[in-house]
Amino acid sequence: MAIRFSDESESFKSKMEEQVCQIEHFRQSLCKDGRELDSQTAAREWIERYGRQFADIFSR
């Protein structure tokens, strides 16, 4: 299933919202494993690990 936005700004907004959700989920999963990270640190680590993969998914 795919969603296509007619407005590029809505598409970008949706992508950023999804990325924020993914980063927060990542941060919480690390907390469960005993690693306490603030949002900024989690975002940097998530982008390093998954940023390219995430971008590829949203460029289809």
Side-chain angles (χ1 to χ4, degrees):
M1 179 196 235
I3 297 173
R4 180 167 292 213
F5 294 94
S6 59
D7 181 346
E8 282 189 40
S9 66
E10 286 300 312
S11 176
F12 181 77
K13 180 180 169 184
S14 177
K15 179 180 176 182
M16 290 300 102
E17 288 173 349
E18 179 61 25
Q19 188 171 8
V20 167
C21 289
Q22 292 290 323
I23 291 168
E24 181 57 21
H25 177 74
F26 173 72
R27 188 187 72 76
Q28 289 177 5
S29 71
L30 292 177
C31 286
K32 289 178 184 176
D33 292 339
R35 283 190 64 201
E36 293 290 329
L37 297 177
D38 61 48
S39 295
Q40 291 290 338
T41 304
R44 282 191 292 275
E45 191 168 323
W46 184 90
I47 290 168
E48 248 181 54
R49 289 185 186 192
Y50 306 110
R52 184 175 306 276
Q53 178 183 343
F54 183 81
D56 289 346
I57 291 169
F58 274 87
S59 66
R60 293 179 190 166

